[in-house]
């Protein structure tokens, strides 16, 4: 799986938007971009995924650069419950391969 | 949505004990299940991939005789840590996927194993 690079940590104020960046310069044409998050003492939770176009769901938005070498997870209004480690993961669309986790970004939300 | 149930959520036991962790898919048939381990302040590390009805595939460095995986049905996989020692203390997490390509991977809430 191609590698992703994320900042180790970020901080946000409550009720402010948060933009979590991810670089994946070696992404291939068959790689989907997945985002998961892990709250303390829990298993990872699916957030969103996309291939080329921007995606929106009830949890977040995913903005994918035109060259697909980077993406940004957008939380429109951070809450204290959004404090977690966010993982950006590439996964080949052609197979049912396991997710390979990097270090992720630890998001702190300040009240 | 799809749910993966993992049991128990926490285990504390003496060194030398064998511990079994169950992972169940509650509303879908899980053709493939994955087992991860997570040490404090670290990311998840894949231990093994388990397909229903066949032997598990272990990642390099993971002892198959130490970590026994059984995936006898489409809704249940078990991980048994045999003769556990303090260095096996960790957070064990399972995940499951259904049939098809690029299907979502759903995670259990993990089992915190503490070996005294």
């Amino acid at each position: 799986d191609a590698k992703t690079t994320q900042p180790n940590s970020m901080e946000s104020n409550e009720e402010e938007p948060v933009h979590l960046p991810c670089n994946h310069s070696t992404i291939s044409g068959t790689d989907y971009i997945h985002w998961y998050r892990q709250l303390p003492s829990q298993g990872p939770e699916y957030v969103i995924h996309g291939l080329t176009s921007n995606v929106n769901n009830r949890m977040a938005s995913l903005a994918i650069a035109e060259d697909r070498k980077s993406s940004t997870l957008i939380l429109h209004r951070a809450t204290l419950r959004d404090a977690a480690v966010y993982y950006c993961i590439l996964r080949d669309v052609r197979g049912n391969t396991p997710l390979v986790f990097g270090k992720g970004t630890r998001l702190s939300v300040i009240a | 949505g799809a749910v993966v149930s993992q049991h128990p959520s926490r285990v504390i036991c003496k060194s030398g004990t064998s511990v079994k962790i169950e992972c169940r898919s509650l509303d879908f048939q899980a053709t493939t299940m994955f087992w991860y381990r997570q040490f404090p302040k670290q990311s998840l590390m894949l231990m093994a991939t388990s397909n229903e009805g066949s032997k598990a595939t272990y990642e390099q460095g993971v002892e198959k005789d130490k970590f026994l995986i059984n995936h006898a049905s489409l809704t249940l996989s078990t991980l048994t840590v045999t003769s556990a020692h303090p260095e096996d203390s960790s957070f064990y997490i399972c995940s499951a996927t259904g049939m098809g390509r690029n299907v979502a991977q759903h995670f259990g809430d993990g089992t915190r194993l503490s070996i005294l």
Side-chain angles (χ1 to χ4, degrees):
Chain A
D1 291 314
K3 186 179 166 125
T4 63
T5 305
Q6 299 177 251
N8 289 334
S9 62
M10 290 185 66
E11 205 172 78
S12 172
N13 294 318
E14 196 177 12
E15 300 189 9
E16 295 284 323
V18 182
H19 291 232
L20 297 165
C22 181
N23 287 319
H24 29 78
S25 58
T26 59
I27 191 170
S28 75
T30 55
D31 284 330
Y32 268 86
I33 303 159
H34 289 253
W35 283 83
Y36 281 73
R37 71 179 186 182
Q38 186 178 23
L39 279 65
S41 298
Q42 293 187 27
E45 173 188 28
Y46 168 81
V47 177
I48 200 166
H49 78 282
L51 185 62
T52 56
S53 303
N54 294 344
V55 185
N56 299 296
N57 66 21
R58 63 175 181 82
M59 289 182 71
S61 295
L62 176 60
I64 301 172
E66 202 168 323
D67 63 4
R68 299 187 70 235
K69 293 186 176 182
S70 65
S71 61
T72 303
L73 179 70
I74 302 166
L75 306 179
H76 296 286
R77 199 164 156 267
T79 70
L80 296 178
R81 290 167 55 184
D82 291 322
V85 179
Y86 287 78
Y87 297 98
C88 168
I89 304 169
L90 301 182
R91 190 177 184 212
D92 196 306
V93 68
R94 294 171 296 179
N96 201 4
T97 54
L99 294 167
V100 177
F101 289 79
K103 295 183 179 179
T105 297
R106 183 174 297 277
L107 175 66
S108 301
V109 180
I110 303 168
Chain B
V3 178
V4 173
S5 173
Q6 194 171 335
H7 178 81
S9 58
R10 185 173 179 97
V11 179
I12 302 173
C13 57
K14 294 181 180 178
S15 185
T17 307
S18 291
V19 178
K20 181 185 281 189
I21 302 169
E22 291 188 350
C23 181
R24 295 181 184 272
S25 58
L26 297 184
D27 59 357
F28 68 101
Q29 293 186 325
T31 52
T32 306
M33 287 186 170
F34 306 101
W35 288 94
Y36 293 82
R37 180 168 53 182
Q38 185 176 32
F39 292 107
K41 306 290 185 186
Q42 295 187 22
S43 188
L44 283 78
M45 292 174 49
L46 180 67
M47 298 176 68
T49 299
S50 161
N51 292 300
E52 185 265 338
S54 61
K55 289 185 178 180
T57 303
Y58 290 81
E59 296 298 302
Q60 192 172 9
V62 178
E63 300 175 58
K64 62 179 182 177
D65 295 329
K66 173 80 171 172
F67 300 99
L68 301 179
I69 292 172
N70 184 282
H71 191 167
S73 79
L74 286 172
T75 59
L76 174 65
S77 176
T78 60
L79 168 68
T80 301
V81 183
T82 61
S83 187
H85 289 96
E87 59 265 29
D88 299 322
S89 299
S90 189
F91 192 48
Y92 292 86
I93 306 167
C94 74
S95 73
T97 65
M99 299 179 187
R101 293 182 176 181
N102 197 40
V103 293
Q105 207 172 310
H106 305 284
F107 288 83
D109 278 338
T111 297
R112 188 160 302 284
L113 176 62
S114 300
I115 308 298
L116 306 177

